[in-house]
Amino acid sequence: MKKIIKYLLFGIISILLKSCFLHIDPDVSTVYMKGGDSKSQRSDAISRLYEHYIKSKKNRAYYEIVAKKEDRFILNYYPEKKLLTLCTDPGSGWSGQFKNVDEAKLKELVDLKLTFDQINNEEGPLEKNGKWVIVKTNGTPS
């Protein structure tokens, strides 16, 4: 009986400690990319973000795509401020932020078939945001 209580307490403590480190922000609607290689994930990131946003109830402040396996990146959209923010290597901080990105601009990026890397390299019709705005995420940019 003592062993069972001991294991039960250990399990409860483990779950509590783990939950302290897994903070999920309810303001952020996150889709985690699964499957595919790094090239296909980066190619599909914009269309996945657009699809995620279009199909959502529009009840969150932020929408994002997070790749966590081989090729890690974050693509975060903040519709209220019309910002698109990129993180090319989680743990190293945000890498770029673009302004005046509304639903139509996201659709334009999809229609142009721009990849995550092309946007990060400032290819396409996006305008760099001069004054950095902190965004919420369920990823780990830094």
Side-chain angles (χ1 to χ4, degrees):
M1 186 67 166
K2 283 186 177 182
K3 272 189 172 181
I4 293 172
I5 293 172
K6 188 177 178 179
Y7 287 121
L8 185 60
L9 284 174
F10 178 75
I12 291 170
I13 290 171
S14 296
I15 290 169
L16 288 174
L17 285 174
K18 191 172 183 178
S19 69
C20 290
F21 296 105
L22 292 175
H23 174 71
I24 303 298
D25 194 317
D27 287 341
V28 184
S29 179
T30 305
V31 169
Y32 295 95
M33 293 193 85
K34 295 176 184 168
D37 60 11
S38 63
K39 186 175 181 177
S40 67
Q41 284 188 346
R42 286 182 179 247
S43 293
D44 296 341
I46 300 296
S47 61
R48 292 283 304 272
L49 177 65
Y50 177 72
E51 179 181 334
H52 173 53
Y53 179 69
I54 291 301
K55 289 182 177 180
S56 74
K57 294 179 182 176
K58 314 286 187 294
N59 61 348
R60 305 285 180 92
Y62 302 85
Y63 298 84
E64 68 181 359
I65 299 296
V66 175
K68 294 176 72 172
K69 296 289 181 184
E70 299 169 12
D71 183 32
R72 303 174 327 137
F73 65 84
I74 302 169
L75 185 60
N76 183 289
Y77 179 51
Y78 185 15
E80 181 183 329
K81 297 287 183 181
K82 298 182 180 181
L83 295 173
L84 184 66
T85 309
L86 287 73
C87 177
T88 57
D89 181 26
S92 300
W94 293 105
S95 55
Q97 189 170 70
F98 301 94
K99 62 183 179 179
N100 301 320
V101 180
D102 57 9
E103 190 176 313
K105 185 63 78 174
L106 276 179
K107 175 76 167 108
E108 181 181 350
L109 299 176
V110 171
D111 291 344
L112 290 170
K113 298 182 184 214
L114 292 176
T115 67
F116 179 92
D117 292 326
Q118 288 172 316
I119 290 172
N120 187 51
N121 293 327
E122 299 182 34
E123 297 175 33
L126 294 177
E127 184 180 355
K128 198 104 166 134
N129 191 25
K131 186 175 181 183
W132 194 266
V133 175
I134 305 286
V135 296
K136 290 183 180 182
T137 180
N138 285 324
T140 53
S142 54

